[in-house]
Amino acid sequence: MDDDRPVALDEYPVHQAALSMKHHVSGDRNAYDRCIFHVFDHAGRALLIAGLGVYPNTGVIDAYATLRTGDRLHAVRASDALGDDRMRLEVGPLRITVDEPLRRFTLSCAADPADPDGLSFDLTWTGDFPALWEPHHLQRTGGRLTLEGRRFVQAGRCTGTITAGGERFEVTAGEWTGTRDRSWGVRPIPGEEPGRAAEARPEGFHWLWIPMRFDDRFVMVVAQEDADGYRTLNQAQLVRDGRRDVQLGWPRTEIAYRPGTRHPESAVVHLTDPTGKPLEIGVEILASSPLAVGAGYPPAGDWQHGTWQGRDWTDRRVYDLSDPAAHPLAGYGVTDHSARFTLDGRTGHGIFEHGSFGRHDPSGFADFTSTAR
């Protein structure tokens, strides 16, 4: 392949560097460009997570989908060599089609003829509110920039069908909700020696990412804290179509954990409106999906994003989540929880993404072995 040849995207006036659009402006091997979609019902029966990522400096494109139903997690993962057509978001049986940018998408996973009970879906995801920028995300380890991400988030509705394990789910707009996150920048890919940065690993990390969709508004909360509770990332914002976004102060979250774990069962998010009036959002967890199981997020042991698996690699499997001890690394990663939210008499739905490992003084966690009492 001749790397000097232009690609189709070079025809459009979108360049921001004197490079073809198939080349990243940075030579960092950890450069990435990816998305994640959540589709879930309001009764907590099913939680689908699907995403696709491009890693231009390692030449990899991969995608995944997981479906949590009961104690079963159905997973499909696919990986391949990155081609020149960056507008073709397809790997193996998984495909994302941008029908209308920032508005409507088709998500699909083709059925496996050899496994009629395997995961497949055909969904239309439609945004109900404008996409919202999240804060510019920077993270350094031992003085080195290890994460720099630009992200936006959106909430909407979904229609279509999901099939797995002999069940067929009819996805309807009134009973299902969708959220999504689109990000790019630099993010660690497995396979690189940490060097001296290993000496600077944090004592603890606490993360909350909470998109909440109500009928007439979308509320987004992000909080990242160090072991001592020092906040390094913060957002609380309300979005309504046709109106200016409203900032909701400094979010504070009270989480009720299942005893002996760091698994949230409910929470209260405290916000403040521009007049100083306190706002409280109640959180009820419906279904949970650990991203380190099936979805390829660290510290997953069987597959992680951006790793070269060879050409045309596809993997399908079903995980049993009934015994947490069978997945010991899951507790050291982030878990996405579908949730029901209440605010001033309104009921909404969204994702309560939570990760807390190591020391976190505000939660009373002293080290990596600490759990709720």
Side-chain angles (χ1 to χ4, degrees):
M1 182 182 296
D2 186 347
D3 285 341
D4 291 332
R5 290 178 180 171
V7 296
L9 201 54
D10 288 325
E11 292 283 13
Y12 298 89
V14 295
H15 299 82
Q16 296 192 45
L19 296 167
S20 167
M21 287 300 294
K22 72 179 179 180
H23 295 306
H24 197 274
V25 68
S26 167
D28 193 321
R29 73 180 291 275
N30 296 307
Y32 82 103
D33 203 331
R34 72 189 189 205
C35 60
I36 182 172
F37 290 82
H38 300 86
V39 177
F40 50 92
D41 75 310
H42 298 171
R45 295 178 304 137
L47 168 56
L48 176 75
I49 303 175
L52 181 145
V54 164
Y55 306 86
N57 292 336
T58 58
V60 172
I61 179 171
D62 55 33
Y64 65 92
T66 64
L67 177 72
R68 173 77 187 261
T69 59
D71 288 328
R72 300 289 177 182
L73 187 76
H74 301 264
V76 179
R77 295 86 67 87
S79 179
D80 205 346
L82 178 62
D84 287 343
D85 187 356
R86 301 300 168 82
M87 299 179 75
R88 183 171 178 262
L89 305 179
E90 181 178 357
V91 195
L94 297 160
R95 176 186 296 179
I96 298 171
T97 304
V98 182
D99 301 310
E100 182 182 342
L102 300 175
R103 173 66 177 167
R104 192 175 69 253
F105 307 83
T106 299
L107 315 177
S108 62
C109 177
D112 181 3
D115 181 14
D117 288 334
L119 174 61
S120 64
F121 52 85
D122 189 2
L123 299 166
T124 298
W125 193 107
T126 304
D128 287 326
F129 302 94
L132 172 69
W133 283 114
E134 297 181 36
H136 192 184
H137 197 176
L138 286 168
Q139 199 163 302
R140 297 183 183 273
T141 305
R144 179 187 174 187
L145 181 68
T146 52
L147 187 152
E148 181 176 14
R150 199 67 177 109
R151 295 197 304 267
F152 60 78
V153 63
Q154 194 172 22
R157 61 190 184 275
C158 302
T159 58
T161 59
I162 304 171
T163 303
E167 289 188 272
R168 179 183 172 91
F169 297 93
E170 298 293 337
V171 179
T172 57
E175 299 177 345
W176 294 67
T177 288
T179 63
R180 74 181 184 104
D181 176 283
R182 177 79 175 85
S183 70
W184 58 91
V186 172
R187 190 167 182 162
I189 299 173
E192 185 176 44
E193 290 297 326
R196 187 174 167 227
E199 298 178 0
R201 286 176 177 161
E203 291 184 67
F205 175 83
H206 189 79
W207 167 261
L208 292 170
W209 180 83
I210 317 173
M212 296 168 267
R213 179 190 179 277
F214 297 87
D215 286 341
D216 65 341
R217 65 195 60 199
F218 170 56
V219 178
M220 183 64 193
V221 170
V222 177
Q224 178 179 307
E225 294 181 350
D226 292 338
D228 60 1
Y230 185 86
R231 191 162 294 183
T232 56
L233 200 67
N234 188 81
Q235 181 182 41
Q237 211 148 327
L238 183 151
V239 176
R240 284 176 288 188
D241 200 3
R243 305 191 194 183
R244 185 171 184 177
D245 299 346
V246 177
Q247 296 170 325
L248 299 177
W250 187 268
R252 184 174 60 86
T253 306
E254 297 178 80
I255 302 175
Y257 291 100
R258 182 181 302 160
T261 74
R262 294 198 193 186
H263 180 91
E265 293 189 320
S266 63
V268 177
V269 181
H270 298 274
L271 305 171
T272 308
D273 77 6
T275 70
K277 174 189 172 183
L279 299 173
E280 287 190 356
I281 300 180
V283 183
E284 177 190 354
I285 301 300
L286 300 175
S288 306
S289 188
L291 296 182
V293 180
Y297 284 77
D302 53 2
W303 169 72
Q304 289 193 32
H305 301 150
T307 55
W308 176 242
Q309 303 295 319
R311 294 179 180 270
D312 300 319
W313 177 81
T314 299
D315 178 72
R316 291 177 179 261
R317 62 183 65 193
V318 179
Y319 298 88
D320 183 356
L321 299 183
S322 62
D323 180 10
H327 308 283
L329 295 180
Y332 294 93
V334 171
T335 296
D336 282 356
H337 309 270
S338 61
R340 181 179 295 114
F341 300 93
T342 54
L343 169 64
D344 288 341
R346 300 176 179 85
T347 298
H349 295 85
I351 294 294
F352 189 82
E353 183 173 276
H354 171 272
S356 184
F357 28 96
R359 181 180 134 226
H360 187 239
D361 295 345
S363 301
F365 300 137
D367 53 31
F368 280 90
T369 65
S370 296
T371 58
R373 297 180 179 179

